[in-house]
Amino acid sequence: MDSRRRDVLKAGGAVGVWSVLAAVGIAAPAQAWDARNGGVFEAATLDDALRALGAQDAAESAAVRIAAPDVAEDGRAVTISVASDIPRTEQIVILIEENPYKVAASFRLSGAMAPAIQTRVKMARSTRVHALVKAEGRLFVARREVTVTVGGCGT
């Protein structure tokens, strides 16, 4: 099969999936094509990222749970899961202290979605991972230390 044809089929499939999710109300078109908040994703320090998110005073919460390995053998693909027991969770953001760019991922959730995500991130070195949860206009945070044996990010 021609590689260009394969790329067109993959792109068409992705558009189709988002269309179905939008049609059944799981994802709004704005969520599918949400504009990137450059101030958040390009923050070079943790304080800058928290300031851009409006989260300098986020409250520690045991209702936000981070599942991540204690020791990650390869920093190029570290699996991180975040779950929230806080009602009406609207957003989950993963921040990694020692990465060149602190915000690794941001997820906006609709009421039809369970407040739990799982993703893989790159980690430059051993550091704390922060999970920030926005619910009912308030911000909550949990932290977890992850040891990385081989870093996955360039600086």
Side-chain angles (χ1 to χ4, degrees):
M1 182 184 295
D2 180 343
S3 67
R4 239 182 305 166
R5 181 172 179 236
R6 186 174 294 156
D7 291 340
V8 169
L9 289 173
K10 279 196 252 181
V15 170
V17 168
W18 278 112
S19 298
V20 169
L21 291 174
V24 296
I26 293 176
Q31 288 174 312
W33 303 103
D34 193 54
R36 191 174 112 156
N37 180 348
V40 170
F41 283 97
E42 295 173 8
T45 68
L46 186 63
D47 287 340
D48 289 346
L50 292 173
R51 194 173 10 267
L53 290 163
Q56 305 94 311
D57 298 325
E60 288 278 338
S61 177
V64 177
R65 297 181 317 278
I66 302 173
D70 291 328
V71 177
E73 297 295 326
D74 187 352
R76 292 177 295 179
V78 180
T79 301
I80 300 195
S81 300
V82 178
S84 170
D85 293 332
I86 303 168
R88 292 179 281 290
T89 295
E90 305 163 23
Q91 185 175 15
I92 297 174
V93 180
I94 298 173
L95 299 104
I96 302 174
E97 272 187 36
E98 293 295 326
N99 274 8
Y101 297 101
K102 306 311 176 195
V103 177
S106 177
F107 301 88
R108 292 182 189 217
L109 309 174
S110 74
M113 299 170 74
I117 57 95
Q118 180 177 358
T119 191
R120 289 186 182 187
V121 298
K122 286 185 177 184
M123 293 183 65
R125 62 184 61 90
S126 300
T127 188
R128 278 197 302 183
V129 173
H130 302 251
L132 183 69
V133 169
K134 182 178 181 181
E136 297 183 327
R138 296 183 57 210
L139 294 162
F140 304 91
V141 68
R143 295 172 179 87
R144 179 178 171 99
E145 191 74 32
V146 177
T147 302
V148 175
T149 56
V150 177
C153 295
T155 52

